[in-house]
Amino acid sequence: MTIMKTLGQFIIEKQADFPYAKGELSRLLRDIGIAAKVVNREVNKAGLADILGESGHVNIQGEGQKKLDVYADEQFMRALSSGGECCVFASEEQDEAVYLNSTVSKDAKYIVCIDPLDGSSNIDVNVSVGTIFSIYRRKSTEGEATLSDILQKGIHQVAAGYIIYGSSTMLVYTTGKGVNGFTLDPSIGEFCLSHPNIIIPEKGNIYSINEGNYVKFPQGIKDYIKYCQIEDVATRRPYVSRYIGSMVADIHRNLLKGGIFLYPTTSSHPQGKLRLLYECNPIAFIVEQAGGKATTGYERILDILPRELHQRCSAIMGSREMVEKVEDFLRP
Ligand code: AHG
Ligand code: MN
Ligand code: MN
């Protein structure tokens, strides 16, 4: 009989590795796991629960919010504000960070940045969506946490992860000691360790990019796309093109199979489209921890000092050799 290890058991087992007080980060990760199960339940019955479609609001990024975006945001905020380990909740779906001042949260040590529902455009058509989270330790030691507690470089993340609501639901996370994946067993309602120590292949043959933006890409990216399409047996080209449009799903596939995900700058999004705090930093941390590489094309994502909450960023991430090839193409 195989013995299943649950997420809860795994977190407790690994907490000896944390450099800080042991229980708090464990409880925070547990709270995220609980909210993920609640969101998963709604995603699974979305067509039945009148939860598809637009909420009627537009978020700070000028994007129409879906009902499920709002629902997921509420669930994660609720779980983290009642858990007592998180002092600031910064979400892609909210204009400002929420400073949690209740008696349980005001002295909490951790800051959570979150993309509660990634891949919103796929919700209504039953294609995989996700959640991305990033956890920092608060720097200031007294009073209320401040914006500079949130605007830390990605290298200071103490944990990051994603949940993919796909053909099965998985939670993948890192605390800086490798990457582990857990699959939700719906019969017992627990995330169980299914993908221990995920390592991304050094090189792959999948490239994931929205090629509809081709004319808007920098020349180096256009040249790289052509490189991907040229026949060359030694390098397994032409590569396979796979693009879902949910970053979590595209990254998850490439992490397991080997490949590269690109959302570079475009003429209409000169800073890139994806968000540094909620999408690029957490995924970059995971990709690096799995042995891959994550850059803007010019610099390591985790080294960027954020200037604002909803800052955007170019993202080129995945198998190390493939990312380095793109960097070669972008070099003047
Ligand atoms: P979100 O749904 O959180 O706004 O994120 C969507 C992101 C990301 O998941 C995906 O990779 C990308 O936007 C897709 O963008 P395009 O439709 O421009 O390709
Ligand atoms: Mn997103
Ligand atoms: Mn989102």
Side-chain angles (χ1 to χ4, degrees), residues 87-88 99 106-111 137-150 152:
C87 59
V88 181
Y99 295 84
K106 69 177 178 8
D107 297 321
K109 310 269 188 327
Y110 292 99
I111 288 156
R137 212 173 146 83
R138 171 184 174 172
K139 287 188 302 183
S140 58
T141 49
E142 51 192 37
E144 250 189 40
T146 62
L147 187 60
S148 70
D149 284 316
I150 312 170
Q152 298 186 46

mmCIF file of all heavy atoms in Angstrom, residues 87-88 99 106-111 137-150 152:
data_model
loop_
_atom_site.group_PDB
_atom_site.id
_atom_site.type_symbol
_atom_site.label_atom_id
_atom_site.label_comp_id
_atom_site.label_asym_id
_atom_site.label_seq_id
_atom_site.Cartn_x
_atom_site.Cartn_y
_atom_site.Cartn_z
ATOM 1 N N CYS A 87 -0.033 40.290 7.423
ATOM 2 C CA CYS A 87 -0.373 41.675 7.805
ATOM 3 C C CYS A 87 -0.782 42.508 6.593
ATOM 4 O O CYS A 87 -1.431 43.543 6.751
ATOM 5 C CB CYS A 87 0.774 42.333 8.557
ATOM 6 S SG CYS A 87 2.306 42.409 7.634
ATOM 7 N N VAL A 88 -0.371 42.100 5.392
ATOM 8 C CA VAL A 88 -0.752 42.851 4.191
ATOM 9 C C VAL A 88 -1.164 41.866 3.103
ATOM 10 O O VAL A 88 -0.472 40.869 2.859
ATOM 11 C CB VAL A 88 0.422 43.702 3.645
ATOM 12 C CG1 VAL A 88 -0.022 44.480 2.415
ATOM 13 C CG2 VAL A 88 0.954 44.655 4.686
ATOM 14 N N TYR A 99 -4.181 46.535 4.321
ATOM 15 C CA TYR A 99 -3.409 46.373 5.561
ATOM 16 C C TYR A 99 -4.355 45.778 6.597
ATOM 17 O O TYR A 99 -5.383 46.379 6.915
ATOM 18 C CB TYR A 99 -2.846 47.718 6.015
ATOM 19 C CG TYR A 99 -1.833 48.265 5.021
ATOM 20 C CD1 TYR A 99 -2.254 48.987 3.901
ATOM 21 C CD2 TYR A 99 -0.471 48.012 5.168
ATOM 22 C CE1 TYR A 99 -1.340 49.452 2.962
ATOM 23 C CE2 TYR A 99 0.449 48.475 4.236
ATOM 24 C CZ TYR A 99 0.009 49.188 3.131
ATOM 25 O OH TYR A 99 0.921 49.640 2.210
ATOM 26 N N LYS A 106 -2.429 42.374 13.137
ATOM 27 C CA LYS A 106 -1.617 43.596 13.064
ATOM 28 C C LYS A 106 -0.134 43.354 13.360
ATOM 29 O O LYS A 106 0.706 44.070 12.853
ATOM 30 C CB LYS A 106 -2.207 44.713 13.917
ATOM 31 C CG LYS A 106 -2.145 44.536 15.411
ATOM 32 C CD LYS A 106 -2.727 45.791 16.059
ATOM 33 C CE LYS A 106 -2.791 45.793 17.560
ATOM 34 N NZ LYS A 106 -2.191 44.761 18.311
ATOM 35 N N ASP A 107 0.175 42.349 14.147
ATOM 36 C CA ASP A 107 1.591 42.065 14.412
ATOM 37 C C ASP A 107 2.120 40.904 13.564
ATOM 38 O O ASP A 107 3.197 40.370 13.821
ATOM 39 C CB ASP A 107 1.796 41.744 15.906
ATOM 40 C CG ASP A 107 1.441 42.952 16.765
ATOM 41 O OD1 ASP A 107 1.771 44.081 16.343
ATOM 42 O OD2 ASP A 107 0.819 42.768 17.828
ATOM 43 N N ALA A 108 1.350 40.512 12.566
ATOM 44 C CA ALA A 108 1.760 39.376 11.746
ATOM 45 C C ALA A 108 3.019 39.724 10.954
ATOM 46 O O ALA A 108 3.308 40.888 10.689
ATOM 47 C CB ALA A 108 0.619 38.989 10.811
ATOM 48 N N LYS A 109 3.758 38.694 10.555
ATOM 49 C CA LYS A 109 5.097 38.917 9.960
ATOM 50 C C LYS A 109 5.109 38.808 8.438
ATOM 51 O O LYS A 109 6.120 39.093 7.824
ATOM 52 C CB LYS A 109 6.069 37.854 10.493
ATOM 53 C CG LYS A 109 6.102 37.676 11.994
ATOM 54 C CD LYS A 109 7.144 38.575 12.606
ATOM 55 C CE LYS A 109 7.400 38.338 14.083
ATOM 56 N NZ LYS A 109 6.281 37.913 14.900
ATOM 57 N N TYR A 110 4.019 38.366 7.845
ATOM 58 C CA TYR A 110 4.098 38.038 6.421
ATOM 59 C C TYR A 110 3.196 38.891 5.539
ATOM 60 O O TYR A 110 2.130 39.346 5.954
ATOM 61 C CB TYR A 110 3.794 36.545 6.212
ATOM 62 C CG TYR A 110 4.899 35.692 6.789
ATOM 63 C CD1 TYR A 110 4.765 35.109 8.040
ATOM 64 C CD2 TYR A 110 6.099 35.538 6.107
ATOM 65 C CE1 TYR A 110 5.800 34.365 8.595
ATOM 66 C CE2 TYR A 110 7.134 34.800 6.656
ATOM 67 C CZ TYR A 110 6.989 34.210 7.894
ATOM 68 O OH TYR A 110 8.014 33.487 8.446
ATOM 69 N N ILE A 111 3.685 39.099 4.316
ATOM 70 C CA ILE A 111 2.972 39.870 3.301
ATOM 71 C C ILE A 111 2.655 38.924 2.156
ATOM 72 O O ILE A 111 3.544 38.172 1.729
ATOM 73 C CB ILE A 111 3.892 41.008 2.825
ATOM 74 C CG1 ILE A 111 3.983 42.043 3.947
ATOM 75 C CG2 ILE A 111 3.437 41.629 1.520
ATOM 76 C CD1 ILE A 111 5.192 42.865 3.918
ATOM 77 N N ARG A 137 8.565 38.347 3.944
ATOM 78 C CA ARG A 137 8.575 38.667 5.357
ATOM 79 C C ARG A 137 8.605 40.175 5.479
ATOM 80 O O ARG A 137 9.323 40.859 4.744
ATOM 81 C CB ARG A 137 9.824 38.062 5.994
ATOM 82 C CG ARG A 137 9.590 37.657 7.405
ATOM 83 C CD ARG A 137 10.758 36.922 7.969
ATOM 84 N NE ARG A 137 10.881 37.257 9.373
ATOM 85 C CZ ARG A 137 10.181 36.661 10.318
ATOM 86 N NH1 ARG A 137 9.347 35.705 10.011
ATOM 87 N NH2 ARG A 137 10.337 37.021 11.565
ATOM 88 N N ARG A 138 7.832 40.672 6.393
ATOM 89 C CA ARG A 138 7.793 42.113 6.623
ATOM 90 C C ARG A 138 9.164 42.592 7.106
ATOM 91 O O ARG A 138 9.807 41.941 7.920
ATOM 92 C CB ARG A 138 6.713 42.336 7.689
ATOM 93 C CG ARG A 138 6.665 43.692 8.199
ATOM 94 C CD ARG A 138 5.642 43.800 9.316
ATOM 95 N NE ARG A 138 5.782 45.137 9.836
ATOM 96 C CZ ARG A 138 4.987 45.696 10.702
ATOM 97 N NH1 ARG A 138 3.960 45.022 11.158
ATOM 98 N NH2 ARG A 138 5.197 46.910 11.105
ATOM 99 N N LYS A 139 9.631 43.749 6.552
ATOM 100 C CA LYS A 139 10.951 44.263 6.948
ATOM 101 C C LYS A 139 10.856 45.139 8.191
ATOM 102 O O LYS A 139 11.685 45.075 9.086
ATOM 103 C CB LYS A 139 11.553 45.114 5.810
ATOM 104 C CG LYS A 139 12.028 44.306 4.621
ATOM 105 C CD LYS A 139 12.779 45.207 3.628
ATOM 106 C CE LYS A 139 11.882 46.348 3.176
ATOM 107 N NZ LYS A 139 12.439 47.249 2.191
ATOM 108 N N SER A 140 9.839 46.042 8.201
ATOM 109 C CA SER A 140 9.733 46.981 9.325
ATOM 110 C C SER A 140 9.379 46.203 10.591
ATOM 111 O O SER A 140 8.708 45.176 10.543
ATOM 112 C CB SER A 140 8.665 48.033 9.028
ATOM 113 O OG SER A 140 7.432 47.410 8.785
ATOM 114 N N THR A 141 9.846 46.720 11.719
ATOM 115 C CA THR A 141 9.680 45.947 12.957
ATOM 116 C C THR A 141 8.653 46.553 13.904
ATOM 117 O O THR A 141 8.295 45.942 14.899
ATOM 118 C CB THR A 141 11.033 45.820 13.690
ATOM 119 O OG1 THR A 141 11.600 47.125 13.761
ATOM 120 C CG2 THR A 141 11.969 44.881 12.961
ATOM 121 N N GLU A 142 8.218 47.788 13.629
ATOM 122 C CA GLU A 142 7.173 48.342 14.498
ATOM 123 C C GLU A 142 6.151 49.146 13.706
ATOM 124 O O GLU A 142 6.391 49.476 12.545
ATOM 125 C CB GLU A 142 7.793 49.200 15.610
ATOM 126 C CG GLU A 142 8.762 50.229 15.093
ATOM 127 C CD GLU A 142 9.564 50.854 16.232
ATOM 128 O OE1 GLU A 142 9.916 50.124 17.190
ATOM 129 O OE2 GLU A 142 9.818 52.062 16.151
ATOM 130 N N GLY A 143 5.027 49.433 14.364
ATOM 131 C CA GLY A 143 3.950 50.173 13.712
ATOM 132 C C GLY A 143 3.305 49.346 12.623
ATOM 133 O O GLY A 143 3.497 48.129 12.551
ATOM 134 N N GLU A 144 2.530 50.053 11.798
ATOM 135 C CA GLU A 144 1.871 49.352 10.689
ATOM 136 C C GLU A 144 2.869 49.029 9.586
ATOM 137 O O GLU A 144 3.825 49.788 9.393
ATOM 138 C CB GLU A 144 0.803 50.276 10.102
ATOM 139 C CG GLU A 144 -0.604 49.816 10.395
ATOM 140 C CD GLU A 144 -1.642 50.602 9.628
ATOM 141 O OE1 GLU A 144 -1.414 50.911 8.444
ATOM 142 O OE2 GLU A 144 -2.674 50.894 10.230
ATOM 143 N N ALA A 145 2.643 47.976 8.858
ATOM 144 C CA ALA A 145 3.489 47.690 7.685
ATOM 145 C C ALA A 145 3.303 48.834 6.682
ATOM 146 O O ALA A 145 2.303 49.554 6.722
ATOM 147 C CB ALA A 145 3.059 46.374 7.074
ATOM 148 N N THR A 146 4.296 49.026 5.813
ATOM 149 C CA THR A 146 4.224 50.135 4.860
ATOM 150 C C THR A 146 4.370 49.592 3.431
ATOM 151 O O THR A 146 4.682 48.412 3.236
ATOM 152 C CB THR A 146 5.383 51.130 5.097
ATOM 153 O OG1 THR A 146 6.596 50.404 4.870
ATOM 154 C CG2 THR A 146 5.358 51.677 6.510
ATOM 155 N N LEU A 147 4.234 50.517 2.474
ATOM 156 C CA LEU A 147 4.364 50.117 1.071
ATOM 157 C C LEU A 147 5.752 49.528 0.803
ATOM 158 O O LEU A 147 5.895 48.582 0.030
ATOM 159 C CB LEU A 147 4.098 51.338 0.168
ATOM 160 C CG LEU A 147 4.020 51.062 -1.320
ATOM 161 C CD1 LEU A 147 2.900 50.085 -1.660
ATOM 162 C CD2 LEU A 147 3.831 52.361 -2.112
ATOM 163 N N SER A 148 6.773 50.064 1.460
ATOM 164 C CA SER A 148 8.117 49.521 1.172
ATOM 165 C C SER A 148 8.281 48.099 1.716
ATOM 166 O O SER A 148 9.167 47.362 1.292
ATOM 167 C CB SER A 148 9.221 50.455 1.672
ATOM 168 O OG SER A 148 9.243 50.438 3.052
ATOM 169 N N ASP A 149 7.421 47.699 2.657
ATOM 170 C CA ASP A 149 7.436 46.289 3.077
ATOM 171 C C ASP A 149 6.965 45.390 1.935
ATOM 172 O O ASP A 149 7.347 44.228 1.841
ATOM 173 C CB ASP A 149 6.505 46.078 4.285
ATOM 174 C CG ASP A 149 7.127 46.598 5.577
ATOM 175 O OD1 ASP A 149 8.312 46.340 5.796
ATOM 176 O OD2 ASP A 149 6.405 47.258 6.345
ATOM 177 N N ILE A 150 6.103 45.970 1.089
ATOM 178 C CA ILE A 150 5.558 45.168 -0.021
ATOM 179 C C ILE A 150 6.497 45.198 -1.226
ATOM 180 O O ILE A 150 6.665 44.198 -1.908
ATOM 181 C CB ILE A 150 4.168 45.699 -0.461
ATOM 182 C CG1 ILE A 150 3.272 45.927 0.762
ATOM 183 C CG2 ILE A 150 3.511 44.740 -1.448
ATOM 184 C CD1 ILE A 150 1.988 46.658 0.428
ATOM 185 N N GLN A 152 9.400 44.716 -2.270
ATOM 186 C CA GLN A 152 10.713 44.073 -2.106
ATOM 187 C C GLN A 152 11.080 43.343 -3.395
ATOM 188 O O GLN A 152 10.203 42.919 -4.157
ATOM 189 C CB GLN A 152 10.654 43.058 -0.967
ATOM 190 C CG GLN A 152 10.326 43.665 0.385
ATOM 191 C CD GLN A 152 10.436 42.617 1.506
ATOM 192 O OE1 GLN A 152 11.399 41.855 1.580
ATOM 193 N NE2 GLN A 152 9.445 42.581 2.375
#
